[in-house]
Amino acid sequence: EPEVTQTPSHQVTQMGQEVILRCVPISNHLYFYWYRQILGQKVEFLVSFYNNEISEKSEIFDDQFSVERPDGSNFTLKIRSTKLEDSAMYFCASAQGLDTDTQYFGPGTRLTVL
Amino acid sequence: QKEVEQNSGPLSVPEGAIASLNCTYSDRGSQSFFWYRQYSGKSPELIMFIYSNGDKEDGRFTAQLNKASQYVSLLIRDSQPSDSATYLCAVTRGQKVTFGTGTKLQVIP
């Protein structure tokens, strides 16, 4: 069964460093999402992406964040200058169609900022 | 005011019983409603979605939606120990998805 994959599974970085989290969505999916979950807290929507542009973003997704689909398979989340409070699990998800009822989540990348 | 509210639990039910999970939301423009299951340290896994008022059944799961009361629920029949997890309610408006904090369910053998 097709699945969303994410790399790395765990990323440790120093405060102020740039990180890129990578996702490979399911191949025929058109809608892509990033979420984060701080330990013990709820899942928070960051951004949705369709047709090579951001379609929706939350208040969390400020200028420090960017997303890109550099080729036909990868979907990346870049954090330019990491802060301690960026430490969280980051989930990528993809969906096939317009409705969000078919979002499939990847296993997540745990980001630890020291 | 929380946008999507759930009782954090834990909700403990004996094996074979019905587990009832509840969720309220504040945005009357919410369009779609989802229930996810999340095991500790894992990603959310979609259980069901519902768009219109009423009940929707899928195997042991039934989702109920009441838009007038801004209320969504999930019933799990014949609960199994493997159902022990945190259940997340999520609502969408456009492409934005808002999750609740989740209810922890414990099914006691």
Side-chain angles (χ1 to χ4, degrees):
Chain A
E1 185 174 325
E3 58 182 19
V4 177
T5 60
Q6 290 186 243
T7 54
S9 57
H10 191 188
Q11 173 90 48
V12 181
T13 190
Q14 295 291 324
M15 189 170 57
Q17 295 296 303
E18 174 184 286
V19 295
I20 297 176
L21 309 182
R22 291 182 168 80
C23 168
V24 179
I26 295 172
S27 62
N28 63 342
H29 284 190
L30 301 176
Y31 294 81
F32 314 111
Y33 307 83
W34 282 103
Y35 298 87
R36 79 172 185 191
Q37 187 174 31
I38 296 170
L39 188 64
Q41 298 187 23
K42 66 177 182 178
V43 176
E44 298 175 292
F45 169 80
L46 293 178
V47 67
S48 61
F49 191 86
Y50 169 71
N51 199 25
N52 284 319
E53 61 182 28
I54 291 172
S55 49
E56 192 93 49
K57 61 182 181 178
S58 73
E59 306 76 31
I60 302 168
F61 194 88
D62 61 21
D63 291 344
Q64 291 298 310
F65 292 89
S66 62
V67 290
E68 193 177 34
R69 189 153 162 81
D71 53 41
S73 59
N74 289 284
F75 179 51
T76 62
L77 174 69
K78 182 192 292 187
I79 309 175
R80 279 184 245 289
S81 178
T82 50
K83 307 184 189 71
L84 295 176
E85 54 265 37
D86 292 328
S87 294
M89 183 73 93
Y90 288 81
F91 295 110
C92 171
S94 69
Q96 188 172 31
L98 277 172
D99 296 327
T100 54
D101 56 322
T102 51
Q103 280 196 42
Y104 294 91
F105 279 71
T109 292
R110 179 164 296 286
L111 176 65
T112 302
V113 182
L114 302 176
Chain B
Q1 182 186 7
K2 290 184 181 178
E3 295 180 341
V4 179
E5 196 156 349
Q6 296 180 255
N7 188 319
S8 60
L11 172 67
S12 295
V13 299
E15 183 174 354
I18 295 175
S20 177
L21 304 160
N22 304 314
C23 170
T24 57
Y25 60 95
S26 60
D27 183 1
R28 285 198 173 272
S30 298
Q31 296 160 308
S32 307
F33 308 85
F34 303 86
W35 284 99
Y36 287 86
R37 177 173 60 197
Q38 187 176 32
Y39 294 110
S40 181
K42 302 294 186 183
S43 58
E45 173 193 4
L46 181 67
I47 299 174
M48 291 192 69
F49 60 90
I50 186 167
Y51 297 142
S52 51
N53 281 329
D55 295 0
K56 180 180 178 183
E57 187 174 317
D58 184 1
R60 295 187 296 114
F61 300 96
T62 298
Q64 299 173 316
L65 173 61
N66 183 325
K67 289 187 177 180
S69 300
Q70 295 174 247
Y71 176 89
V72 195
S73 66
L74 179 71
L75 298 177
I76 306 174
R77 287 180 297 281
D78 189 24
S79 296
Q80 300 297 308
S82 58
D83 294 326
S84 298
T86 297
Y87 287 79
L88 311 179
C89 174
V91 304
T92 66
R93 183 170 185 157
Q95 290 290 310
K96 184 178 179 183
V97 184
T98 303
F99 281 83
T101 53
T103 298
K104 187 170 183 178
L105 174 67
Q106 294 175 340
V107 180
I108 312 300

